[in-house]
Amino acid sequence: MTGTLYGVGLGPGDPELMTVKAARLISEASVIAYHCARHGRSIARSVAEPYLREGQIEEKLVYPVTTETTDHPGGYEGAIADFYELSAKRLAEHLDAGRDVVLLCEGDPFFYGSYMYMHERLSGRFEAVVVPGVTSVSAASSVFGRPLVQRDEVLTVLPGTLPAPELARRLADTDAAAVLKLGRTFSSVREAFAEAGKLDDAVYVERATWGQQRIEPLASVDPASVPYFSLALLPSPAYASRTSPAPAAPAVSPSGGEVVVVGLGPAGPEWLTPEASAELSAAEHIVGYGPYVARVPQKAGQQRHASGNRVEADRAREALSLASGGARVAVVSSGDPGVFAMASAVLEQVSSGHGAGVRVRIVPGVTAAQAAASRVGAPLGHDYCVLSLSDRLKPWEIIEKRLDAAGAADLVLALYNPASRSRTTQLASAREVLLRHRAPETPVVVARDVGGPEEDIRITTLGELDPSTVDMRCLLIVGSSKTRADNGIVWTPRSY
């Protein structure tokens, strides 16, 4: 009979915060394994020491490197991979001999823990049991005396090893956060909090629950004094708002602020115009659909207001409300904001009486149709029609009537919103309408995620178009009777 592998969480450092089950397993196991540096000392063993007994076999799993510099031919990652393989073999020898092995892990084994690398190598061969432990995040919140999150707030846990711009973006988009893996990353982490406009609300917690724990405002910490066992905490904003003095109300501009509706283009920053970039940088607030807000580079002190895909009117009212207090607000849209996007939504709310005194401007962007056309040539080189197949805001009867009219007029069509998980029949119906007027050989461009990591451009014909291969991230260009397709190039002549 083989032994059982136990991944035992020890909690954040105080031996009294270890679970009863963890203490029992440590005292009963034949083999106690733990990671340590070359000096041989182990924080995990020191936490578990009150529960160790005479006669237990101790397996020190000594890390080969403590920094990302090594002579290993595979570099740091290669050296660590070899270390985990060797460690797994050592533990497997005990398990094969029928000895239970407890592998000690600070905090929780599956929360950035080293145990997981043994689990993935050994759990397929031996019984493996994970005993959870109190995480450093919970400990830090407790010793600071502030809740992490409450009610509908969102907590984001982040590694400090992320690049500062990415870390800043994620911090700006969450209510509360914990950033782990500090030490050498501390300066970058503090920079990210500053860029997200949340440095003044963040706290630094070092060795929570240990005898020498340290708690300070993140902004005042000396980077040279920061060890690995520390984290940055951004606690519940709702709790802070109830327990701190209310800030003075901002002065309201007599003429109101400004809403600038900005087109981001179809994908990354290379599609952003200089004008749009300048407006985003100047804005005090960024409002938009979550994935689009995430594409905007973070700026220190700038507030971000991300929301879902189907609340355009709510977004527009929020932007106008912010601007009514004198703020400069950028509402972001993918592509061009005037093409099935936020420009109309904002102006519609203005016409309904929202945002009195607020100036509204529109900054154009590269449209999805233009981007898709550029990938194959010039299919939009002559007259064309832009049409959305979504019947969420207009009835299908209207869409079909317009398709029929555009088809009869022999216009090239750029079809937005061709399909979604809930709209699976519209494209097939549109295809049948257009086949009343177009030959089956009419070129069709199916462009998906243009400019993005999953870009896929296909050229087919109206007769061979398979609607099941099209989703919401696609845009279709259906040629006119004059559109040509040769050797992957599609164009519509300017002469008719």
Side-chain angles (χ1 to χ4, degrees):
M1 179 179 291
T2 59
T4 299
L5 173 66
Y6 293 95
V8 175
L10 302 175
D14 183 349
E16 292 186 345
L17 289 176
M18 196 183 306
T19 64
V20 173
K21 184 172 185 177
R24 175 178 61 80
L25 290 172
I26 291 170
S27 65
E28 293 176 353
S30 301
V31 179
I32 302 295
Y34 47 85
H35 294 87
C36 63
R38 289 177 177 175
H39 51 57
R41 297 186 299 276
S42 166
I43 293 173
R45 188 193 183 283
S46 68
V47 175
E49 187 171 11
Y51 307 100
L52 299 177
R53 59 176 173 79
E54 293 290 332
Q56 289 177 309
I57 301 170
E58 294 191 19
E59 281 286 357
K60 292 183 179 181
L61 308 179
V62 182
Y63 283 113
V65 289
T66 55
T67 66
E68 297 186 12
T69 56
T70 175
D71 294 330
H72 191 283
Y76 175 78
E77 294 298 330
I80 288 296
D82 285 352
F83 162 68
Y84 287 137
E85 289 295 332
L86 178 60
S87 297
K89 290 178 182 178
R90 289 172 57 186
L91 300 187
E93 291 176 0
H94 291 294
L95 295 167
D96 279 326
R99 293 187 284 270
D100 290 344
V101 176
V102 163
L103 179 54
L104 305 177
C105 185
E106 298 97 336
D108 182 88
F110 278 167
F111 187 77
Y112 294 111
S114 53
Y115 165 77
M116 64 185 70
Y117 302 107
M118 295 299 98
H119 187 88
E120 67 186 37
R121 288 167 170 79
L122 298 173
S123 61
R125 297 168 51 194
F126 306 100
E127 182 181 1
V129 178
V130 177
V131 180
V134 177
T135 69
S136 59
V137 175
S138 297
S141 175
S142 297
V143 299
F144 181 49
R146 290 269 296 275
L148 281 169
V149 280
Q150 51 192 328
R151 303 194 66 172
D152 296 330
E153 290 176 338
V154 174
L155 170 68
T156 303
V157 179
L158 299 160
T161 50
L162 286 176
E166 175 67 9
L167 194 57
R169 180 184 69 79
R170 293 176 182 253
L171 287 169
D173 289 342
T174 192
D175 300 310
V179 182
L180 289 72
K181 302 178 183 289
L182 297 187
R184 290 176 296 146
T185 71
F186 179 80
S187 294
S188 176
V189 169
R190 188 165 63 182
E191 175 188 343
F193 272 93
E195 284 295 308
K198 297 185 176 181
L199 181 59
D200 292 341
D201 300 319
V203 65
Y204 169 84
V205 182
E206 177 184 315
R207 296 184 172 93
T209 77
W210 297 20
Q212 62 272 47
Q213 72 182 20
R214 174 184 169 199
I215 304 170
E216 292 183 23
L218 188 69
S220 65
V221 174
D222 177 7
S225 69
V226 176
Y228 182 81
F229 284 96
S230 57
L231 59 80
L233 199 66
L234 185 66
S236 166
Y239 181 88
S241 69
R242 291 198 304 271
T243 58
S244 301
V252 177
S253 169
S255 60
E258 181 179 49
V259 170
V260 183
V261 192
V262 179
L264 301 178
E270 65 273 17
W271 297 90
L272 193 66
T273 68
E275 180 187 19
S277 182
E279 293 292 350
L280 294 174
S281 180
E284 298 168 272
H285 299 265
I286 303 292
V287 176
Y289 175 41
Y292 301 156
V293 171
R295 284 165 49 185
V296 178
Q298 185 62 51
K299 174 192 169 186
Q302 193 176 66
Q303 298 183 46
R304 297 150 79 92
H305 309 265
S307 52
N309 194 28
R310 295 193 175 190
V311 291
E312 291 93 343
D314 292 343
R315 264 200 298 275
R317 286 192 293 269
E318 180 181 24
L320 291 166
S321 176
L322 290 167
S324 293
R328 190 167 185 174
V329 183
V331 176
V332 294
S333 282
S334 181
D336 182 276
V339 181
F340 305 121
M342 285 302 299
S344 293
V346 171
L347 294 174
E348 183 177 357
Q349 294 306 311
V350 170
S351 71
S352 299
H354 296 277
V358 172
R359 182 187 180 197
V360 176
R361 291 189 292 116
I362 314 299
V363 174
V366 177
T367 71
Q370 293 168 327
S374 71
R375 291 298 199 240
V376 296
L380 305 180
H382 205 290
D383 300 336
Y384 67 93
C385 169
V386 178
L387 188 66
S388 170
L389 295 189
S390 173
D391 56 0
R392 189 170 68 85
L393 298 176
K394 61 180 182 291
W396 176 254
E397 292 76 16
I398 296 296
I399 298 173
E400 186 171 353
K401 183 178 180 180
R402 292 175 178 178
L403 281 167
D404 191 62
D410 200 22
L411 293 168
V412 175
L413 284 96
L415 299 179
Y416 282 66
N417 308 314
S420 69
R421 284 179 292 183
S422 61
R423 294 186 297 103
T424 58
T425 62
Q426 284 84 346
L427 180 56
S429 298
R431 175 178 173 273
E432 294 305 315
V433 172
L434 293 175
L435 281 171
R436 299 173 193 166
H437 308 283
R438 306 285 164 88
E441 296 78 22
T442 301
V444 175
V445 178
V446 181
R448 186 176 191 277
D449 192 31
V450 177
E454 298 179 15
E455 178 176 306
D456 179 49
I457 310 294
R458 291 180 288 121
I459 300 172
T460 184
T461 65
L462 191 58
E464 295 179 351
L465 174 64
D466 181 0
S468 68
T469 65
V470 175
D471 61 21
M472 190 66 177
R473 299 178 69 185
C474 294
L475 179 135
L476 272 62
I477 298 177
V478 181
S480 71
S481 64
K482 303 298 182 181
T483 303
R484 305 175 189 177
D486 296 303
N487 300 318
I489 302 297
V490 182
W491 82 102
T492 301
R494 294 176 63 190
S495 59
Y496 195 84

